[in-house]
Amino acid sequence: MKDIKLVKKAIRGDNKAFEELLVIHSEQLYRTAFIYVQNREDALDIVQETAYKGLLSIRQLKNAEYFLTWLTKILIHCAYDLIKKKKNELPLENEFELTSANQDRNIERLDLIEALNELKEKYKSAIILFYFQDMPIHEVAKVMDVPENSVKTYLYRGKAQLNKLLGGNQYNGQEALSSRI
């Protein structure tokens, strides 16, 4: 309820309310951006660009209860814009520090992120929004501007491709993905 009141204030032009909403959702926005670009600096840039574009267009938001869906849609567009821009640059190897205690877990996480990046954009977005952001299918459909059945198809096909990329049922992370549908 508090979120909706803040969103309504932000729509009416209250910049402090918009800032408070960004603080509330900043961790979720950052995690989503990081999944797309896999590095801290770019993820922070995406969140910053999302905040800027969101502030400029908040008055266009029609339904306050879909604020996070609306903002996530902006974030995804910002992420893809950055990814396209980066494709024109020389790629550098991603640097990840692995501690010995978490090395196996981090390697599995890296494998999943690398596999996600191999998917078509529509499959990747559906999986990220549904599994990593815990959005219900109807909200994923709104963010992606597709029917709910398309989202279900994207999830099914994306999971099948992930399963293939990750070596079948040997990968434990697939069980977590399969349990939500």
Side-chain angles (χ1 to χ4, degrees), residues 22-33 47 133:
L22 289 176
V23 169
I24 291 168
H25 299 292
S26 63
E27 187 176 321
Q28 184 175 0
L29 293 170
Y30 172 79
R31 281 193 319 255
T32 303
V47 172
Q133 295 301 320

Side-chain angles (χ1 to χ4, degrees), residues 38 108-120 124 127 158 161-167 171 174:
Q38 300 176 36
E108 285 179 0
R109 185 179 273 161
L110 289 175
D111 288 345
L112 179 59
I113 290 173
E114 287 175 11
L116 276 170
N117 285 325
E118 296 294 318
L119 299 178
K120 291 181 179 180
K124 178 180 177 179
I127 286 173
Q161 284 185 349
L162 281 175
N163 193 24
K164 184 177 177 182
L165 289 168
L166 294 170
Y171 183 72
Q174 279 304 104

